[in-house]
Amino acid sequence: MRCSQLYFPTLKQPPSEAKVISHQLMLRAGMIRALASGIYTWLPLGLRVLRKTEAIVREEMNRMGAQEILMPNLQPAELWQESQRWAAYGPELLRLEDRHHRPFCLGPTHEEIVTQLLRQDVQSYKQLPIVLYQIQTKFRDEIRPRFGVMRAREFLMKDAYSFHRDKASLVETYHHMHATYQRIFTRLGLNFRAVLADTGNIGGSASQEFQVLAQVGEDTIFYSDKSDYAANAELAEYLSAPPASSEAQHSLEKCATPGQKTIEAVSTYLAVSPMQCLKLLVVVGSDPKKPLVGLILRGDHTLNPIKAEKIAGIAHPLRLAEESEVVQQLGAPIGYLGPLGLSIPLIVDRDAAVVTNFVCGANEVDQHFKNVNWQRDLPLPEQADLRYAVVGDPSPDGQGHLHMERGIEVGHIFQLGTKYSVAMNTLIRLENGRSAPLEMGCYGIGISRIVAAAIEQHHDERGIVWPETLAPFQLALVPIGYHRSTLVQQAAEALYQQLTEAGFEVLLDDRKESPGCLFADMDLIGIPHRLQAELIPFLKQQRIQASPAHLTL
Ligand code: ATP
Ligand code: MG
């Protein structure tokens, strides 16, 4: 490809809306342009990288025995109603009507469609297992599209679905897919980690995310420094603090704490550590007879809603009670709540359950208790893991301690189990003549997000530095004086032709611009190998061989 013919409108300065480096560089390098919030056109350079990503994913999916199909974007509402997700998916699902006023949505994912496909044609266990995949545009009406193609509303995903006669077969394919994902992200040149994840509203039992490590990542991941335990923050576990030591119990005191409503304020005012203060958060209960539930955590810990909403008696999704509900039903103001004397169901975090001589609200304005002790002053309520892990927590497998990193989720694998086959009545005949619902797995890769994630990991102060496997071109030829010297031009053209014929993807910069401008653009778009200036001696030296060794000059 000749630069003079390539459409890559580069920018000197990043537009102000681009907050992260990958978004800035993709715009500056003329890889993408925005059409509307979270909706992008891919220009030639960007599309070449997108297609390379796609090709690696496709190759590895085919290698593992998955078969490619292409399903429609437009999906009839009936299937989503059948799976109960028409209501559950919420406003991220873009809904529309056809001219006959029949409801449809633009597919954010394809579990319903692929289950519908299979139930028409697969009746017997003998036809299983089957793994199908597609590489296709998804639409999700994200509440906060941002970071360019990283969190877009329209984006390219590889989604695969597997179907099995039983759980054992599902688990086998899940492991196979895990290994395939390892190969894919390694080939893509990414520094990544596979982490345990929550199964969220897709449902199912086991799930892992593949996270590209990057500061701008929206996800937080914890991993052990001594074992391969790794999980995202929503799920990360840890070993709790040991039971209370034999520290002497002091006598209970009620203290005036005028205007001190937060843990920080109370701990400073009473000169105790936040670890010694317990906070009580009131959430909505799932049982109408017990509409409010109190959750107790150590002052320095943060409630993990994903863990809390899985506990019986707590509404799913978790919702904090309104201040008016709390005042009306408990007669106590937020900021001064505590477990002592409170008549709603209480659940205490495992680490809060072992604190002695703690401080907590006295359920009265401007009042707190000091030196409260479980068992002595109030019964110890039900215990649970309610909090997010923190750096330094002991790893749940007993090996090492947890460290934290930020990650960009580029892939996700799920064991869905029978969630969709039961909801959509998809049965297969077994050997014994009985029928059973299909076991199912689903496996996503964010193809377009990978392009941005790769740039986050591969750039320098001058621009993108593509890994070999993703680069839009392998080699840039940047002759100096192309328009001034016939000799340079001939040499450049000859070299361009030889290299192209030898099968390399070469970008010849034949633009009539200053060398500084050519170099700056080449630095920006990040072609891994570059030949500039001294073409003639190089050409004289020897004829180019089709060997990559010659390219690492
Ligand atoms: P996230 O937590 O980032 O919203 P998700 O759990 O909703 O991701 P999945 O439903 O598992 O994502 O989708 C599979 C893959 O598609 C993700 O791992 C991610 O790489 C990609 N992806 C999801 N949402 C977007 C988006 N809005 N823009 C670009 N890629 C996305
Ligand atoms: Mg999402």
Side-chain angles (χ1 to χ4, degrees):
M1 170 65 79
R2 287 162 197 280
C3 260
S4 57
Q5 287 162 15
L6 179 67
Y7 180 54
F8 74 122
T10 56
L11 304 172
K12 286 218 162 47
Q13 293 301 323
S16 61
E17 78 268 16
K19 305 287 182 236
V20 297
I21 194 77
S22 56
H23 190 194
Q24 293 173 357
L25 289 173
M26 287 181 84
L27 289 170
R28 284 190 54 213
M31 292 175 65
I32 54 165
R33 285 292 179 262
L35 177 64
S37 166
I39 301 183
Y40 291 88
T41 297
W42 289 79
L43 308 190
L45 267 186
L47 190 62
R48 289 180 80 101
V49 181
L50 192 72
R51 293 283 179 249
K52 291 212 166 170
T53 310
E54 196 181 310
I56 290 174
V57 172
R58 180 175 280 117
E59 228 175 270
E60 294 299 333
M61 292 305 294
N62 292 343
R63 186 203 296 269
M64 73 85 66
Q67 297 168 69
E68 186 167 5
I69 59 172
L70 185 57
M71 292 182 272
N73 276 38
L74 200 59
Q75 309 185 357
E78 296 97 78
L79 292 175
W80 283 75
Q81 283 152 353
E82 214 181 322
S83 71
Q84 314 284 324
R85 282 210 295 182
W86 187 251
Y89 211 90
E92 220 173 274
L93 187 65
L94 189 83
R95 296 155 213 252
L96 63 164
E97 282 187 350
D98 70 3
R99 64 167 72 194
H100 307 292
H101 304 295
R102 281 190 289 253
F104 284 82
C105 64
L106 283 187
T109 177
H110 279 67
E111 284 81 8
E112 283 79 0
I113 310 309
V114 77
T115 306
Q116 159 72 1
L117 180 79
L118 264 279
R119 77 175 165 187
Q120 294 166 356
D121 296 311
V122 174
Q123 274 88 37
S124 162
Y125 73 94
K126 290 182 192 152
Q127 296 164 279
L128 301 175
I130 297 173
V131 187
L132 300 175
Y133 78 97
Q134 63 173 350
I135 295 178
Q136 191 230 28
T137 300
K138 296 283 185 272
F139 195 94
R140 294 184 183 181
D141 207 353
E142 297 279 354
I143 187 164
R144 271 205 300 158
R146 56 184 191 152
F147 301 164
V149 297
M150 198 113 81
R151 183 162 298 282
R153 293 198 293 164
E154 192 175 297
F155 57 97
L156 195 62
M157 194 202 282
K158 183 283 298 175
D159 45 328
Y161 306 89
S162 69
F163 300 88
H164 311 268
R165 52 166 301 174
D166 56 25
K167 178 100 181 161
S169 166
L170 166 62
V171 170
E172 192 182 328
T173 297
Y174 180 85
H175 289 313
H176 197 173
M177 197 63 86
H178 189 283
T180 299
Y181 273 41
Q182 298 271 4
R183 282 181 67 92
I184 290 173
F185 296 119
T186 305
R187 277 186 67 185
L188 289 170
L190 298 169
N191 179 13
F192 69 97
R193 258 177 200 276
V195 308
L196 299 169
D198 186 61
T199 47
N201 75 347
I202 293 202
S205 48
S207 143
Q208 269 162 295
E209 289 167 355
F210 288 76
Q211 296 274 359
V212 165
L213 305 180
Q215 273 306 317
V216 301
E218 293 182 293
D219 294 336
T220 303
I221 58 185
F222 285 94
Y223 63 95
S224 166
D225 53 3
K226 293 271 163 55
S227 72
D228 59 4
Y229 179 80
N232 72 15
E234 292 175 344
L235 200 80
E237 300 194 4
Y238 47 83
L239 296 180
S240 293
S245 63
S246 50
E247 193 187 333
Q249 296 190 347
H250 305 307
S251 40
L252 180 68
E253 277 177 55
K254 195 168 179 184
C255 325
T257 48
Q260 311 300 316
K261 288 180 157 193
T262 61
I263 291 289
E264 202 188 347
V266 173
S267 70
T268 311
Y269 191 79
L270 296 178
V272 289
S273 140
M275 293 170 68
Q276 200 76 22
C277 300
L278 299 196
K279 58 185 167 191
L280 188 139
L281 303 166
V282 183
V283 300
V284 175
S286 56
D287 178 354
K289 290 198 209 103
K290 294 174 185 161
L292 297 182
V293 178
L295 305 179
I296 305 157
L297 289 110
R298 235 168 62 182
D300 59 326
H301 287 155
T302 308
L303 174 71
N304 178 333
I306 306 290
K307 288 181 180 174
E309 69 192 12
K310 287 183 189 147
I311 299 172
I314 296 180
H316 190 296
L318 188 94
R319 182 167 80 76
L320 282 178
E322 301 288 337
E323 177 146 23
S324 55
E325 289 173 277
V326 174
V327 173
Q328 193 197 4
Q329 296 194 37
L330 305 182
I334 286 180
Y336 300 97
L337 295 173
L340 198 55
L342 214 58
S343 58
I344 53 169
L346 297 175
I347 301 172
V348 61
D349 179 66
R350 294 183 317 217
D351 288 318
V354 294
V355 184
T356 49
N357 297 318
F358 61 81
V359 166
C360 65
N363 301 316
E364 272 176 53
V365 177
D366 295 344
Q367 297 290 326
H368 278 82
F369 284 120
K370 222 174 143 179
N371 297 330
V372 188
N373 283 288
W374 297 113
Q375 311 290 14
R376 185 191 72 177
D377 304 316
L378 74 172
L380 186 63
E382 173 189 339
Q383 295 180 47
D385 175 8
L386 291 178
R387 69 166 174 93
Y388 281 109
V390 292
V391 172
D393 273 338
S395 177
D397 57 8
Q399 296 176 54
H401 290 85
L402 297 182
H403 286 236
M404 196 179 87
E405 292 247 23
R406 304 290 292 173
I408 301 168
E409 181 197 317
V410 288
H412 202 167
I413 58 176
F414 277 91
Q415 288 178 30
L416 287 171
T418 57
K419 177 179 159 123
Y420 293 91
S421 50
V422 166
M424 296 179 65
N425 197 26
T426 310
L427 302 175
I428 40 143
R429 256 190 341 271
L430 299 174
E431 310 74 328
N432 57 16
R434 297 237 302 273
S435 288
L438 278 171
E439 289 278 345
M440 202 171 149
C442 78
Y443 318 90
I445 289 186
I447 306 275
S448 41
R449 184 180 282 185
I450 285 173
V451 177
I455 295 174
E456 287 296 333
Q457 284 192 341
H458 299 281
H459 66 268
D460 62 17
E461 66 291 345
R462 286 175 302 186
I464 306 168
V465 184
W466 286 113
E468 292 292 331
T469 47
L470 289 184
F473 295 92
Q474 290 170 290
L475 174 74
L477 270 184
V478 192
I480 308 303
Y482 181 93
H483 292 277
R484 272 185 281 119
S485 151
T486 334
L487 212 57
V488 169
Q489 193 171 117
Q490 282 169 354
E493 289 294 336
L495 191 53
Y496 173 61
Q497 198 181 341
Q498 277 181 20
L499 285 164
T500 307
E501 278 168 13
F504 295 108
E505 295 168 300
V506 186
L507 182 63
L508 170 63
D509 203 341
D510 58 348
R511 292 175 299 165
K512 208 171 180 176
E513 302 282 355
S514 70
C517 170
L518 302 186
F519 294 163
D521 273 355
M522 289 303 119
D523 283 340
L524 179 62
I525 68 177
I527 314 287
H529 304 286
R530 189 191 308 176
L531 261 178
Q532 62 197 34
E534 291 298 319
L535 287 170
I536 303 161
F538 176 77
L539 259 188
K540 277 189 189 149
Q541 207 181 342
Q542 56 183 296
R543 286 180 67 81
I544 299 292
Q545 304 287 311
S547 140
H550 280 272
L551 294 178
T552 48
L553 294 163

